[in-house]
Amino acid sequence: MKSTVLVTGAAGYIGGQTMLALQDKGFRVIGVDFRPLPPHLKSAADICVQEDFADRYALDLISTYQPQAIIHCAGTSLVGPSITNPELYFRNNFVKTKTMLDYLVKNRIRTRVIFSSSAAVYGEPQTTPCTEEDATMPVSPYGESKLMIEMMLRSYAA
């Protein structure tokens, strides 16, 4: 039986490329995105669901299919607009991720969560290329929301 991986943000570039790579490696792929998958990605998902990843139907897929991993690529991702509309970024990125994690905990679902963060968590790096050991100093609500998720994931994992 194939191992199952659920990809959030499946219609985006990173989520789509992740699904293609997983398919090439022989995984059963569940793609979740509120946007429709582009035609070139439809065959990359064994199951394709057009829903927000934090909506009940999408969350219930996790219970139904018990994926070995969730690769979390969903989120709102532009630095500039996050400054003029921070609420959208904190809601779409942090709050919805918390909803998903709370669902996993409440339903005692043991799965790996692999998070697609952003270099925006580092702000203006002191040196380039930056590494994961560098100080995090985001300069936008987008970067802050991604860093908040990283911190939350560490807490939930503990």
Side-chain angles (χ1 to χ4, degrees):
M1 177 182 251
K2 291 182 178 183
S3 293
T4 301
V5 178
L6 186 141
V7 179
T8 68
Y13 179 75
I14 294 171
Q17 293 302 306
T18 299
M19 286 197 315
L20 290 168
L22 290 166
Q23 180 191 48
D24 286 348
K25 296 289 184 184
F27 289 91
R28 175 167 56 166
V29 179
I30 302 171
V32 178
D33 202 306
F34 72 95
R35 302 168 297 177
L37 285 183
H40 73 282
L41 291 177
K42 288 189 186 225
S43 65
D46 296 283
I47 300 166
C48 177
V49 177
Q50 190 176 342
E51 292 283 338
D52 187 297
F53 77 93
D55 286 349
R56 185 64 188 208
Y57 180 77
L59 292 172
D60 284 344
L61 285 173
I62 298 168
S63 288
T64 301
Y65 291 97
Q66 298 287 314
Q68 282 68 45
I70 297 169
I71 301 180
H72 184 33
C73 301
T76 306
S77 63
L78 298 173
V79 171
S82 78
I83 294 167
T84 57
N85 189 4
E87 185 273 335
L88 175 68
Y89 285 74
F90 290 118
R91 180 173 27 91
N92 282 349
N93 296 349
F94 181 79
V95 174
K96 288 182 180 184
T97 300
K98 183 179 182 312
T99 298
M100 180 180 70
L101 295 175
D102 288 344
Y103 181 89
L104 296 174
V105 170
K106 178 182 176 190
N107 292 285
R108 295 188 171 123
I109 297 169
R110 295 189 52 85
T111 186
R112 294 182 186 270
V113 177
I114 302 160
F115 176 53
S116 176
S117 190
S118 170
V121 302
Y122 301 106
E124 300 295 330
Q126 304 300 312
T127 60
T128 55
C130 58
T131 69
E132 291 186 13
E133 289 76 33
D134 289 346
T136 52
M137 296 182 295
V139 296
S140 69
Y142 167 65
E144 291 170 348
S145 71
K146 290 290 196 167
L147 181 57
M148 290 168 63
I149 294 168
E150 289 183 17
M151 295 166 72
M152 180 174 55
L153 284 167
R154 278 192 289 276
S155 294
Y156 275 63

